[in-house]
Amino acid sequence: MNSLLGQADLAVLLGTWVGIVVGLLIFSAIFGDHWLARLGQHILVGVALGYAAVVTWQAMFALSFVQGLLANPAGDIIQWIPIVLALLLVIAGGERILMQGEGGAGSGSRRWLRWLGVAPAGLLIAAGIAIASLGVLQGTLLPQFWRAAQTGFQWRAAPEPFLTGILTLLITVSALIYFGVDPDRHLSRQPRWIASFIRGWIWFGQRAVWLAAGAIFARLIVSRSSLFIAFVEGIVASFMTTGIGNTILTWWQMITGAL
Amino acid sequence: MDFESSFEPEDEELEDEEQTLDAGISAANEVVSAPGRLVSGVQGLLEPIRVATAPGEGDQEQSPPPPTTGYDPDQLRRVRTLLAEEPLIAGATRSPSHQQTSLWMPWVFLLIGVAVAVPILFQWARPLGQARQWPGVAEAFSAINRLQNGDTVQVLWAYDPATAGELDLLAAPLVQHMLDKGARLEIISLLPNGPATARRLVSGVRRIRSQEPGITLDQSPIDARFVPGGAMVLPAFGATPAALAVVFGAQAEDVQAWLELVAPRNRTPVVAVTAAGADPVLRPYLDSGQLKGLVSGFDGAASYSRLLYATTGQPPNQLQLAQQLVGQNFALIAFLALIVTGNLVAALTTGRRHE
């Protein structure tokens, strides 16, 4: 072991070994759900959560209004509002976690505490919905709709962009109909020819969605393969760092007669 | 609405649990899925644990069953796992059943594992080939190549060590290109592990580049910070003017969030650098012009490195890219072998069953 420890800094070497062991423990999950794989996951999640908590704590103190309050607590009273709301949320959430399983709504003070916790939670949800809705509208729905509409029927274009435009429009609309129209609910009272036409369009939309899912699946395989190749490279590099890799390489060369 | 009673269900409310549950089941069967992305995933390795409940959800409240579908739970789990853009490592595998002929999943993993590991262990250099250059790579290269010395580049670092194996390959040549152009990177991340991942990569690129003769890079501290609050805080960055915005994201949602919440405000051109799985979802944004460039997957990294090599010199991750290409080729052969074998087994056993 001396030769192993002598090659690199002790902390780096320990980190490498811990990485190898935990990595292999988690990787062993492909052989089933066993306690060693779970142990690896628990260590990883625990360490990651601990690290995240520390980083979040530091980031919170780096916020400009927190810095302003630390410098001059009585400077701007409005800056206390986010702090008070955050404290209310933490207290109400803490009470809920600590008192869970006791049943009932509890005493009047506990009810009040939960009531107060609703204010920041509601503010968060409302702001989140407003931001997300506006974002989807201005960043996805409108530009994508406009693009699909623009590429529709370019009558004077060359055959390739003309067909591409028609296909884009056709696939977009058919996929929308496939997701939005329930044949049993929406088409049962329609005239026969309309129902048949829409069913045909839904059929087309379904195939278009399958095709898109196939493309996504193919790229996901590439993505996962990249991660796996990087993992194997990492394990090999780690073994080389510890010295074991060179020993195995020497043995291999002796066995094959290369040495 | 009696808000207090909906926040915490009273005991007497629970007496009607059966009726409520029946109503819940019938309502759940009719419920339309909540609006969301067509393809979405979660960051991290495990299914997220719910640590808070919304008003109206008591501890004793029964959660309504999911809407019925034409698939059994195992099929649904597999489809969800496959389409989640983040890798989910934890997942129980089933033992081979004696009643049905099926491939035992660990054998599938083992075959792919051997196909990928053997070429890396023995440092095989073939078959190599050339990665395909998809539309969007050359445009991304041009957008970065137009940067002037001292230009500010907003960087959203939306990946962490869970996906660094793939994303580092992509980020390295782009970061090198931006540093070579003398751009000033303002890196923010919504992930706690993001800034550390960014610092590791940027300092690695600086170290390797500074070893080359005649190259002098800015060695000032790396401006990378974690911003708590999730996507809700992104609009704040729309007030910052910049020459370019680059999103390094493992998932399509990160790029979409930037395009929806930041880009419409500061009108800064955006280049997306993503995992291969996010590419099909983001391609419409490239076609609509919302993205100036799109680089994804190992093939995107190889193409970008090729462009960089042609103009500025040796890219920093040549060896890893070569190993990726060889490993991907062997993985593809293994996948094809599995698909053919699976179909043959299915065809043969179906024929036998019909007899």
Side-chain angles (χ1 to χ4, degrees), chain A residues 26 32 41 44-45 51 96 111 114-115 135 138-140 144 147 219-224 226 229 233, chain B residues 4 7-8 10 45-46 53 57 82 84 90 166 193 260 276 285 287-288 290 296 299 323-324 328:
Chain A
I26 294 172
Q41 289 169 41
L44 186 68
V45 171
Y51 179 78
R96 216 171 155 75
R111 283 168 185 264
R114 291 179 184 190
W115 256 96
Q138 70 182 3
T140 294
Q144 291 300 314
R147 174 66 183 162
R219 292 297 286 173
L220 277 172
I221 287 178
V222 170
S223 188
R224 298 295 186 272
S226 286
I229 292 164
E233 278 176 8
Chain B
E4 193 173 339
F7 192 73
E8 181 69 29
E10 299 287 352
L45 300 167
L46 301 176
T53 53
E57 295 178 317
L82 287 170
E166 182 184 14
N193 296 326
E260 289 171 356
Y285 294 92
D287 290 338
S288 68
Q290 290 171 274
S296 70
D299 38 5
Q323 287 190 330
Q324 273 283 335
Q328 288 281 354

Side-chain angles (χ1 to χ4, degrees), chain A residues 25-253:
Chain A
L25 284 178
I26 294 172
F27 196 68
S28 69
I30 66 165
F31 296 110
D33 190 16
H34 55 88
W35 72 272
L36 280 171
R38 291 218 155 257
L39 177 70
Q41 289 169 41
H42 291 165
I43 291 171
L44 186 68
V45 171
V47 171
L49 279 178
Y51 179 78
V54 172
V55 171
T56 308
W57 186 258
Q58 288 174 342
M60 212 168 59
F61 277 97
L63 293 172
S64 57
F65 78 93
V66 177
Q67 288 290 325
L69 282 176
L70 286 172
N72 184 14
D76 190 356
I77 301 297
I78 292 175
Q79 290 191 329
W80 278 101
I81 293 175
I83 305 284
V84 172
L85 288 172
L87 281 175
L88 281 176
L89 196 62
V90 168
I91 292 168
E95 190 272 343
R96 216 171 155 75
I97 290 168
L98 293 173
M99 298 297 176
Q100 66 180 341
E102 290 201 355
S107 63
S109 59
R110 279 177 60 192
R111 283 168 185 264
W112 263 104
L113 207 57
R114 291 179 184 190
W115 256 96
L116 289 172
V118 168
L123 197 66
L124 271 176
I125 293 167
I129 289 171
I131 290 171
S133 307
L134 194 65
V136 167
L137 197 69
Q138 70 182 3
T140 294
L141 282 180
L142 288 178
Q144 291 300 314
F145 174 80
W146 186 239
R147 174 66 183 162
Q150 276 181 322
T151 51
F153 302 101
Q154 299 173 19
W155 301 109
R156 291 180 183 176
E160 193 188 331
F162 177 72
L163 282 174
T164 307
I166 290 177
L167 268 176
T168 305
L169 205 60
L170 193 67
I171 289 173
T172 305
V173 176
S174 60
L176 197 67
I177 290 174
Y178 166 63
F179 281 120
V181 176
D182 181 357
D184 295 334
R185 265 175 60 193
H186 299 119
L187 301 180
S188 56
R189 292 179 187 174
Q190 299 298 325
R192 193 182 174 86
W193 68 274
I194 290 182
S196 302
F197 178 70
I198 300 289
R199 276 180 204 280
W201 216 344
I202 290 173
W203 181 90
F204 186 76
Q206 192 180 33
R207 267 71 192 167
V209 171
W210 285 354
L211 195 70
I216 292 172
F217 185 63
R219 292 297 286 173
L220 277 172
I221 287 178
V222 170
S223 188
R224 298 295 186 272
S225 299
S226 286
L227 283 175
F228 182 65
I229 292 164
F231 172 78
V232 176
E233 278 176 8
I235 288 284
V236 171
S238 300
F239 272 120
M240 288 300 178
T241 308
T242 59
I244 289 179
N246 286 324
T247 311
I248 293 172
L249 200 64
T250 310
W251 287 349
W252 177 253
Q253 286 171 341

